[in-house]
Amino acid sequence: MTDLHMHSRYSEDGEFTPAELVEQCYRQGITTMSITDHNCAGANTEARTLAEVKGIRYISGIEIDCVYKGLNFHVLGYGFDERSEDFVRVEENVERQSFLASLERLEKTRTLGFCVTQNEMWELSKDSYWKGSWSGELFAELLMAKPEYADHPLLRPYRPGGARSDNPYVNFYWDYYALGKPCYVKMEYPPMEEIIGIIHRNHGKAVLAHPGVNLKGHEELLGSILDLGMDGVEAFSSYHTPGQAAEFYRQAQKRGLFATCGSDYHGKTKPSIRLGGYGKLPFDFTLKQLSSLLDK
């Protein structure tokens, strides 16, 4: 089994250490893995060393925020040299903006009618690699734990049995903190072309992450994005229906690109997502689609 999309505590919304993820993959029978943290390559060296001990093939990974035609997208990088300063600069760009953006999210969260303080957010993020980056998921975690908001109408859909309760924290993020939502705060991310170039310059492969999510309402952009120099498409994802997965797989084959698979496992942030939970793969997937990545 292969899972090429998961997040450790080097992501602001990841729960587990790289060592814990390797152990979980081992127990789940995953034989090829990649940790793809948001804008950070820090997990790779540790994870590779531990994966080798467990007999797991490890591919270096990262998931980078970028912009194309005014829209936010994620590009996965695989098989690159994680020691490159290019990825340090990617991380530093996000880190420079994170705290001011977090303060703005805090104020916008208050405008929804919630009482949240800086001290509460610092306490909740104190053990995080990204201490000053307060994501929508982190706000959701805090708000849903507050007894005074046990029956708050805005939070009811995310409570057990609610319409958005499958992945409550990340669904709260998508509903209130994503592009175009009330608590959205603009961050200056690099153009998609630049990120593809960085990955290629460091001998890696660039893959469009979970297009069924990021392309929603903008499906017509898929062809032009793939023509930017993408090496692959994450066709098989926890977010894709079987029909979507088949279509993204078809588009990849049509262009001679990779079709990759990944769960986007985070732990508590996305409790309904499990390692390896991305749907059924074509029988020839592993041998034909991953050969050049595994040779890195």
Side-chain angles (χ1 to χ4, degrees):
M1 186 186 299
T2 299
D3 196 331
L4 298 182
H5 192 160
M6 65 189 75
H7 293 268
S8 78
R9 298 192 73 175
Y10 283 93
S11 291
E12 78 279 3
D13 53 358
E15 180 180 1
F16 302 108
T17 66
E20 288 170 330
L21 285 178
V22 170
E23 181 61 30
Q24 289 181 39
C25 285
Y26 177 73
R27 293 201 307 265
Q28 290 290 323
I30 290 170
T31 56
T32 302
M33 67 177 288
S34 180
I35 296 178
T36 52
D37 284 312
H38 296 296
N39 307 298
C40 181
N44 287 292
T45 301
E46 177 185 353
R48 176 181 291 102
T49 300
L50 297 170
E52 288 176 357
V53 172
K54 293 290 188 180
I56 299 173
R57 286 172 167 170
Y58 188 84
I59 299 170
S60 58
I62 193 170
E63 183 175 20
I64 304 177
D65 287 271
C66 59
V67 177
Y68 180 71
K69 292 191 180 296
L71 299 172
N72 293 345
F73 289 91
H74 294 170
V75 172
L76 294 157
Y78 293 115
F80 54 86
D81 179 2
E82 68 260 25
R83 299 164 297 180
S84 170
E85 288 296 311
D86 285 336
F87 300 104
V88 174
R89 286 188 282 273
V90 165
E91 180 178 335
E92 288 174 344
N93 173 54
V94 175
E95 187 176 25
R96 277 194 298 270
Q97 302 179 64
S98 288
F99 184 55
L100 290 179
S102 293
L103 293 178
E104 194 172 343
R105 287 188 201 102
L106 177 64
E107 291 306 314
K108 291 189 174 190
T109 302
R110 287 168 172 165
T111 66
L112 295 177
F114 296 111
C115 180
V116 187
T117 68
Q118 281 195 45
N119 285 343
E120 287 175 317
M121 296 307 294
W122 281 119
E123 178 64 23
L124 192 57
S125 65
K126 67 182 180 182
D127 296 325
S128 171
Y129 180 74
W130 298 83
K131 292 179 175 60
S133 182
W134 304 336
S135 65
E137 294 93 335
L138 201 67
F139 281 106
E141 183 177 351
L142 177 68
L143 294 175
M144 293 185 69
K146 280 177 168 276
E148 62 266 38
Y149 298 139
D151 198 37
H152 194 288
L154 290 186
L155 298 177
R156 280 185 205 136
Y158 311 95
R159 302 286 184 192
R164 302 286 282 160
S165 62
D166 58 338
N167 288 307
Y169 298 160
V170 74
N171 284 340
F172 190 77
Y173 156 76
W174 280 331
D175 294 344
Y176 289 98
Y177 297 84
L179 180 66
K181 302 301 183 180
C183 298
Y184 172 73
V185 176
K186 181 177 174 59
M187 297 270 285
E188 295 296 331
Y189 295 124
M192 185 180 287
E193 299 93 324
E194 180 180 332
I195 295 307
I196 294 172
I198 288 172
I199 293 168
H200 286 168
R201 185 163 69 242
N202 290 284
H203 316 293
K205 303 291 186 181
V207 173
L208 180 63
H210 41 59
V213 174
N214 290 132
L215 280 171
K216 192 173 183 179
H218 303 279
E219 289 80 2
E220 75 283 356
L221 295 179
L222 178 61
S224 62
I225 287 174
L226 297 183
D227 290 341
L228 291 176
M230 286 287 181
D231 300 292
V233 183
E234 187 179 46
F236 303 94
S237 167
S238 299
Y239 309 116
H240 294 167
T241 66
Q244 286 177 311
E247 176 58 20
F248 292 133
Y249 183 62
R250 188 186 71 80
Q251 290 288 343
Q253 287 193 310
K254 176 182 172 183
R255 290 172 165 81
L257 305 179
F258 291 103
T260 65
C261 57
S263 62
D264 200 13
Y265 178 69
H266 284 66
K268 66 182 179 182
T269 302
K270 301 180 181 182
S272 73
I273 291 178
R274 60 182 179 80
L275 287 168
Y278 43 72
K280 186 178 180 182
L281 302 180
F283 74 94
D284 61 350
F285 177 83
T286 300
L287 292 178
K288 290 190 175 181
Q289 300 296 325
L290 296 181
S291 57
S292 69
L293 288 180
L294 294 176
D295 289 340
K296 288 288 180 182

